[in-house]
Amino acid sequence: MSELRPFCMPKWGIEMTEGTIAEWMVKDGDTISKGDVLCLIETSKITNEVEAEREGVVLRIVHPASDTALPVGALIAVFGDADATEAEISDFIAGYVPATGGADVIEVADPKTEAEPEQARKPAPVKIETNRPISPKALELAELEGVDIAAIEGSGRGGRITFQDVTQHIRPEAVRAWRGAAQLVEDDRKVFASPLARRLAAIHGVQLSGIRGTGPRGRISKSDVLALVPQADAQPVSQAFAPVANTPKVEPFDKIRKVVAKRLSAAKQDIPHFYLRTSAAVDDLLAMRKTANLVLGSKATINDYLVWASAKALARHPDVNVQVHGEEIHRFPHADVAIAVASPKGLVAPILRQVDRMRIDQLAAASSALIEKAKAGRLAYDDLDGGTFSVSNLGMFGIEDFDAIINPPQAAILAVGKASRELREDDDGEIAVETRIKLTLSVDHRVIDGAAGAAFLATLKSLIEEPELLFA
């Protein structure tokens, strides 16, 4: 018949009456050696690693890791020889009677107690006569080690001296090696968490206060903390990259794409770009838009107002409101402004005609209709042909600023970034916060000089920052 040994819930200290198996470090069928960590057991105060006292085989784990507390002395696993049958193990578990006092069946040991050769430190056995309650194993150990049990405070029921009490008494005092203050996160004791969860949170720098516990009564458990710890070590070993077929789907340019490609290619090949940059405060414009939309019953966007302001500025600076055809400059009395729109067929730029003559509500309606046509893929060639100026706004995509390509035969395009809150010094020297957008004007240097472009940009900035001028 095979030798079977119980592994029971240990007892640490007089106040411990139960413990919880936080994690098993072994599984059924594992061969263990002396000193191997078997499991982590959690009490209301601590979490301890439990090591094997001797070699053997884990025949059956009776209680898996869980949040269920088990009484001290409860059978939690069976160890023994590898040739033990399932029937023998089942019979052993069925017939096992938990010991009282928690000492006699504990299968664990602190390796420090056996760091020295046992024969070298073992004195001659001394017979102990006492009326104090003491377990047989504890008495045997005390006699074997020559321990004076008068100095031992029993931690068992009714002050009974247990095997572990004697073991703790003869254990040499630990030598502490101070390593300085540990950098730990603040432990909020008001948070309901298990000791192991607190320990893991401290190790990995996890704040317990922000965790929602999934244990009983909302208790934060080990798994709750580990879910927030990057599992770099648990990642599978990366495999060599295996390329797959990357066959392109060939699509010829449609009519709109042909127009866009033709103009942008010509722009990059033929037009000497230069760029002018500025920014403008838009808090007043935002407030004006809100009021004007209420009064006019329109839904003008901030981009509508920027297009409108650009058209007003172009009307004041006709040397920017031009087209270039060969060696001719075509100057227009009114601003036909193209607006960049992301459509299913790509970026397109339908044109709003004579924007400088429109009211803001008319502009909002016209731009809304063009955008809907663009998104529906219903733009006609005439919607894209011509134009004297373009506005490209990528602020809604979070782009702070960018340089746009001129859309020929136009000679300039305005790139608009996102609105950002920025600090500034006001007229009284106080720090204030305002909303600003960044503007970049791409200019065809063949037909527009730097001064002309800068003057246009200055007018545009003033119209944006003083939006009441737009209605003048």
Side-chain angles (χ1 to χ4, degrees):
M1 185 174 180
S2 302
E3 179 188 4
L4 302 180
R5 303 189 299 277
F7 176 36
C8 304
M9 177 62 69
K11 180 179 180 65
W12 297 308
I14 191 171
E15 296 180 352
M16 179 177 174
T17 58
E18 60 184 20
T20 301
I21 303 172
E23 184 176 1
W24 280 101
M25 310 305 291
V26 296
K27 60 181 183 300
D28 289 355
D30 281 357
T31 300
I32 56 175
S33 301
K34 180 181 178 181
D36 287 348
V37 177
L38 301 173
C39 63
L40 302 181
I41 291 184
E42 183 180 296
T43 70
S44 59
K45 296 181 178 179
I46 59 173
T47 300
N48 266 2
E49 294 179 347
V50 182
E51 299 179 352
E53 184 183 44
R54 53 190 290 190
E55 62 184 15
V57 174
V58 181
L59 298 177
R60 185 177 299 177
I61 292 176
V62 179
H63 290 283
S66 70
D67 291 329
T68 303
L70 300 172
V72 170
L75 179 66
I76 58 177
V78 178
F79 299 158
D81 299 331
D83 57 356
T85 65
E86 289 295 321
E88 289 176 333
I89 299 171
S90 298
D91 291 343
F92 179 84
I93 295 173
Y96 181 76
V97 178
T100 58
D104 299 4
V105 295
I106 293 177
E107 189 68 24
V108 298
D110 187 330
K112 293 181 180 179
T113 61
E114 301 181 9
E116 300 175 2
E118 196 165 344
Q119 294 299 327
R121 61 179 175 82
K122 183 183 296 182
V126 177
K127 185 66 175 178
I128 297 176
E129 299 291 343
T130 180
N131 293 325
R132 294 189 61 187
I134 183 171
S135 73
K137 288 289 186 181
L139 181 61
E140 179 182 347
L141 178 60
E143 291 176 342
L144 185 64
E145 298 292 339
V147 174
D148 180 8
I149 63 171
I152 302 176
E153 182 179 356
S155 62
R157 181 175 301 173
R160 189 177 189 238
I161 299 175
T162 67
F163 181 86
Q164 189 170 17
D165 292 335
V166 179
T167 301
Q168 293 287 347
H169 181 76
I170 63 178
R171 174 183 296 175
E173 186 175 354
V175 178
R176 295 180 175 85
W178 303 106
R179 299 180 180 179
Q183 300 298 320
L184 302 176
V185 297
E186 185 178 355
D187 186 7
D188 187 351
R189 304 303 300 183
K190 295 180 181 178
V191 177
F192 187 32
S194 70
L196 180 56
R198 292 186 184 280
R199 179 181 174 188
L200 292 172
I203 292 174
H204 297 288
V206 175
Q207 290 287 351
L208 290 173
S209 57
I211 302 176
R212 182 177 182 181
T214 60
R217 301 186 303 280
R219 190 191 197 199
I220 298 173
S221 63
K222 174 194 69 176
S223 58
D224 296 329
V225 176
L226 291 179
L228 301 177
V229 177
Q231 301 296 318
D233 295 339
Q235 293 180 355
V237 178
S238 60
Q239 299 179 350
F241 174 73
V244 298
N246 191 20
T247 305
K249 179 182 179 183
V250 180
E251 295 180 352
F253 282 3
D254 56 21
K255 190 174 182 180
I256 294 176
R257 179 61 65 182
K258 287 179 180 178
V259 173
V260 174
K262 179 181 178 181
R263 290 180 173 176
L264 295 183
S265 297
K268 293 301 292 182
Q269 292 173 2
D270 302 333
I271 300 176
H273 288 64
F274 75 97
Y275 305 96
L276 300 172
R277 310 178 197 281
T278 189
S279 65
V282 294
D283 291 298
D284 291 344
L285 180 63
L286 293 173
M288 174 70 77
R289 179 180 73 98
K290 185 176 182 180
T291 302
N293 280 350
L294 289 175
V295 172
L296 300 175
S298 66
K299 296 182 179 179
T301 66
I302 186 64
N303 194 63
D304 291 334
Y305 275 89
L306 294 174
V307 171
W308 200 31
S310 297
K312 299 283 188 182
L314 288 168
R316 299 183 190 182
H317 299 271
D319 47 355
V320 179
N321 191 42
V322 299
Q323 289 183 353
V324 182
H325 297 272
E327 294 183 350
E328 294 180 344
I329 303 174
H330 294 198
R331 302 187 187 278
F332 293 83
H334 302 293
D336 293 343
V337 181
I339 53 174
V341 179
S343 76
K345 295 185 177 181
L347 182 65
V348 295
I351 299 166
L352 293 161
R353 310 289 178 179
Q354 301 188 17
V355 178
D356 57 302
R357 297 182 60 245
M358 289 182 174
R359 298 192 311 268
I360 186 61
D361 56 322
Q362 294 172 328
L363 170 60
S367 67
S368 177
L370 270 184
I371 292 172
E372 289 300 319
K373 287 180 67 177
K375 291 183 177 178
R378 295 186 288 104
L379 287 174
Y381 183 83
D382 290 341
D383 293 325
L384 300 166
D385 186 44
T388 60
F389 188 80
S390 291
V391 174
S392 180
N393 188 345
L394 294 180
M396 67 285 287
F397 299 107
I399 302 301
E400 295 182 351
D401 63 84
F402 63 102
D403 299 336
I405 300 174
I406 295 171
N407 184 19
Q410 301 166 18
I413 181 172
L414 181 71
V416 182
K418 72 172 185 178
S420 301
R421 299 287 286 170
E422 299 181 5
L423 296 177
R424 68 170 179 86
E425 182 180 355
D426 62 18
D427 296 338
D428 298 327
E430 300 294 333
I431 299 300
V433 180
E434 65 181 7
T435 307
R436 300 189 71 85
I437 57 173
K438 294 181 178 178
L439 308 171
T440 303
L441 183 67
S442 303
V443 183
D444 183 347
H445 213 335
R446 296 174 302 173
V447 296
I448 302 175
D449 296 332
F456 163 79
L457 207 53
T459 299
L460 174 62
K461 178 177 178 178
S462 68
L463 290 173
I464 293 173
E465 295 187 338
E466 300 176 71
E468 63 276 8
L469 298 177
L470 292 169
F471 293 88

